[in-house]
Amino acid sequence: MLGTTPTEFPGGEWEQRYEEALRGVLASGAATDFSSSRHDTGGRIVHRLIRLTPERDRSGMVTSVLAVGRDITELMEQREKIHSLAFFDFVTGLANRALFNDRLAQSITDARWHATQLGVLLLDLDRFKAVNDTLGHNVGDALLREAGARLSRCVRDYDTVARLGGDEFAVLLPEIRDAQSLSGVADKILVAFAEPFLLDGREVAVGASIGIAVYPNDSEDADGLLKFADLAMYAAKHAGGQGFRYYTAEFTIQAHERLRIETELRHAVERRELELYFQPKVTMTDGRLIGSEALLRWKSSAFGMVMPDRFIGIAEDTGLIVDIGAWVLREACAAARAWNAAGVPHKVAVNLSPRQFADGSLEERIAEALSATGCRPEWIELEITESLLLENAERVRGTLEALRAMGFSIAIDDFGTGYSALSYLTNLPIDVLKIDRSFVKDMMSYASKAELVRTIIAMANSLSMHLVAEGVETEEQARFLLDNGCVVGQGYLYGKPMPKHELRVDTGDA
Ligand code: C2E
Ligand code: MG
Ligand code: MG
């Protein structure tokens, strides 16, 4: 190779550019950098940075050029990785929030210029938390990847699919014909998510909730579009999931309403606006009062009488339920103590929210309620919901066992409506099943519901659990339940929830 120039050997396009650079340094006398990216013999791309420094003779004339090359492949790879970490989601490889925001801002500028519309679609998996908690994080990650892949298959190449965090995904759809065309996309996505996911060798139904906001109808800026798509998604989720909603101003009104309730609710305990009502529980054979369920009522100075369906969810979302729940426990214990001290055995059932378990101070607060009121644990029944058992099963089991060991009995509320993973019935300390009101309501008109009620009763009997039928409103329902082996009932037939002093816990003439 001696005596030949690069263009002479091996020759090529790169060699030409390299020689030009060398000539440039010879002519100008100024040092420069020449970078090159070429495939090596193994086909790998090798990045080099070549520093070209002029060398002069005594008179100052440039006589040669010193070329020192460095392999910067690793540096370049790291730079690329940093770029992808900054703009792409590590788990799914989709765009991340930063890149999504950037593209959204760009698309809004374009849409404004061309007077076109664009859509933002937010998607949240309906049962991600349950999968993540029960099957583990690796399976959770696999679910996210598969969800991202399904989502990407449902949209066009120039739409942006991003994972914003957790189980929340976003799609940016620039250049849509009209807002209506987005429902086609949403439908397609829902169909894709209705297919069960194959995770860890088993099929899992996941489902998705979608919220849609449209530029410029709903908002003209990125923050507004994301916020409104989020409100719409929240509405889709609350409607039961596996569905989509367009943003409407109504959702903003509801969000304000939630906020107003939250603000007032923060002061409900200290302003003594809460009251416990008690609904009788009876043996249906003779109507004898054996206990009651404590049900919360909020006599708000701002809204009047508020029923739990309107504020318990908000109290749970905001964590207020922890303090409210502590108040409920104490009141219920005080009532149980007063009734039992009068000599009539009477068990008071108290509803517990999953949030109270997550807080970690539940056992302590219950113990406090007992000692403050002189109530005994065997006078109290704790009602939990099936959804609790899906979350963090091991920790919940620990708490339940501790509570059981203290002497409380534990009931599953609204049994049959949740995500009934029946295995928990045999390995958790559960004493009572409460047959959900919806089954009792329909069992006289639908054979399938009647069969379901019979099955629940048979199952409880074989597991030696007690039963309570909720929402018994007619003699006919009571008859059917008794005939099939469920003796304890609760419902309007025997009494509505009422203030403490109205419940007659003396001789049993409820
Ligand atoms: P739940 O625990 O399943 O309570 C039974 C609900 O069914 C009560 O509604 C009761 O009034 C209603 N009910 C009882 N019998 C009948 C009947 O024969 N017919 C009909 N149509 N309804 C009947 P309420 O008081 O509005 O409470 C609703 C839910 O709010 C409760 O459902 C419970 O999940 C929750 N809740 C109430 N108080 C508390 C509380 O102190 N803490 C927590 N975490 N949740 C509570
Ligand atoms: Mg209950
Ligand atoms: Mg119930």
Side-chain angles (χ1 to χ4, degrees):
M1 291 196 296
L2 279 179
T4 59
T5 65
T7 42
E8 286 161 4
F9 184 86
E13 197 225 337
W14 182 87
E15 284 72 10
Q16 243 156 36
R17 285 196 294 115
Y18 184 49
E19 263 183 41
E20 269 162 35
L22 289 173
R23 271 197 294 274
V25 178
L26 283 166
S28 67
T32 185
D33 286 328
F34 181 79
S35 59
S36 86
S37 305
R38 317 183 72 197
H39 289 275
D40 69 3
T41 45
R44 203 174 70 107
I45 289 199
V46 179
H47 300 279
R48 284 201 191 77
L49 185 69
I50 304 175
R51 180 79 183 157
L52 302 176
T53 316
E55 296 180 314
R56 298 163 199 275
D57 63 12
R58 268 197 205 106
S59 67
M61 277 275 292
V62 179
T63 54
S64 56
V65 176
L66 175 69
V68 179
R70 264 199 308 149
D71 185 336
I72 55 161
T73 309
E74 208 173 311
L75 189 76
M76 294 297 279
E77 281 171 359
Q78 270 167 5
R79 196 177 285 177
E80 226 160 81
K81 198 158 157 204
I82 287 169
H83 174 83
S84 88
L85 283 177
F87 292 108
F88 292 91
D89 170 50
F90 190 70
V91 177
T92 59
L94 298 173
N96 67 8
R97 187 182 284 274
L99 183 56
F100 184 83
N101 285 343
D102 195 59
R103 297 228 174 119
L104 178 56
Q106 185 59 51
S107 302
I108 289 175
T109 311
D110 288 348
R112 186 171 297 138
W113 180 254
H114 298 290
T116 53
Q117 294 183 298
L118 68 85
V120 170
L121 204 144
L122 279 191
L123 175 146
D124 193 90
L125 301 179
D126 289 337
R127 262 179 297 278
F128 178 71
K129 197 171 155 29
V131 170
N132 212 35
D133 289 350
T134 48
L135 302 180
H137 292 290
N138 285 336
V139 177
D141 284 357
L143 168 57
L144 291 173
R145 273 193 291 277
E146 172 64 16
R150 286 189 191 185
L151 201 49
S152 301
R153 282 200 290 274
C154 293
V155 299
R156 308 161 299 185
D157 282 343
Y158 50 91
D159 298 329
T160 298
V161 178
R163 177 172 168 244
L164 301 185
D167 59 341
E168 195 174 86
F169 294 84
V171 186
L172 167 64
L173 302 116
E175 292 175 41
I176 51 168
R177 240 180 307 117
D178 50 37
Q180 236 28 60
S181 63
L182 291 171
S183 49
V185 180
D187 272 331
K188 200 165 154 194
I189 294 171
L190 289 174
V191 169
F193 278 75
E195 281 290 306
F197 285 68
L198 190 64
L199 299 170
D200 207 14
R202 58 183 117 181
E203 289 196 343
V204 183
V206 176
S209 302
I210 299 174
I212 303 173
V214 181
Y215 170 93
N217 306 17
D218 297 329
S219 171
E220 297 192 18
D221 64 68
D223 285 349
L225 287 170
L226 279 168
K227 191 174 86 194
F228 291 159
D230 192 54
L231 284 176
M233 187 183 75
Y234 183 88
K237 185 143 279 206
H238 265 238
Q242 186 60 16
F244 72 87
R245 285 278 188 284
Y246 280 92
Y247 170 76
T248 78
E250 182 65 20
F251 297 152
T252 300
I253 295 167
Q254 282 166 11
H256 282 296
E257 164 84 1
R258 278 200 303 274
L259 196 65
R260 275 182 62 212
I261 290 185
E262 182 192 332
T263 313
E264 290 295 319
L265 196 54
R266 285 194 184 279
H267 306 289
V269 175
E270 81 207 30
R271 288 184 192 152
R272 299 170 179 276
E273 294 180 346
L274 297 178
E275 185 176 341
L276 273 195
Y277 274 32
F278 296 85
Q279 184 177 30
K281 259 200 274 180
V282 305
T283 48
M284 293 186 282
T285 38
D286 53 6
R288 193 166 54 92
L289 179 70
I290 57 162
S292 57
E293 176 172 7
L295 294 160
L296 195 52
R297 296 293 180 264
W298 176 23
K299 293 176 174 164
S300 157
S301 52
F303 312 112
M305 173 79 139
V306 191
M307 299 299 279
D309 291 341
R310 247 180 93 199
F311 70 88
I312 293 281
I314 295 171
E316 288 178 334
D317 289 347
T318 53
L320 289 169
I321 193 71
V322 174
D323 285 336
I324 292 177
W327 180 88
V328 169
L329 274 164
R330 188 188 255 258
E331 286 293 306
C333 285
R337 147 88 202 204
W339 286 323
N340 283 279
V344 194
H346 182 100
K347 195 173 254 204
V348 177
V350 181
N351 292 285
L352 292 179
S353 136
R355 218 17 224 273
Q356 289 170 276
F357 280 78
D359 173 66
S361 64
L362 183 62
E363 287 157 70
E364 208 177 300
R365 288 185 185 247
I366 292 184
E368 265 167 33
L370 290 182
S371 67
T373 57
C375 175
R376 291 214 211 115
E378 59 268 29
W379 299 337
I380 299 289
E381 189 153 278
L382 301 170
E383 293 193 4
I384 60 173
T385 54
E386 286 170 273
S387 63
L388 171 72
L389 305 173
L390 279 178
E391 298 168 17
N392 222 326
E394 276 319 300
R395 211 186 55 213
V396 167
R397 174 214 295 274
T399 311
L400 290 180
E401 271 163 3
L403 292 172
R404 169 66 106 48
M406 286 167 81
F408 295 101
S409 58
I410 294 165
I412 303 259
D413 206 349
D414 309 332
F415 182 75
T417 55
Y419 192 86
S420 302
L422 294 180
S423 59
Y424 68 72
L425 287 183
T426 52
N427 52 39
L428 285 171
I430 291 160
D431 308 280
V432 180
L433 295 187
K434 293 192 79 174
I435 304 172
D436 188 63
R437 193 168 76 217
S438 62
F439 302 142
V440 173
K441 180 165 162 276
D442 290 340
M443 70 188 179
M444 306 316 296
S445 355
Y446 300 97
S448 61
K449 291 290 153 69
E451 197 46 51
L452 204 81
V453 169
R454 275 195 213 100
T455 309
I456 294 176
I457 294 173
M459 193 170 62
N461 285 337
S462 71
L463 293 168
S464 312
M465 288 177 183
H466 297 284
L467 282 160
V468 178
E470 293 183 335
V472 181
E473 294 186 357
T474 66
E475 294 288 354
E476 200 192 5
Q477 290 166 340
R479 188 76 262 149
F480 179 91
L481 289 160
L482 275 171
D483 286 347
N484 285 283
C486 173
V487 181
V488 180
Q490 174 184 345
Y492 294 170
L493 179 61
Y494 306 105
K496 293 195 169 179
M498 57 187 94
K500 182 169 152 187
H501 62 268
E502 285 179 25
L503 193 74
R504 315 225 358 116
V505 193
D506 31 49
T507 47
D509 53 12

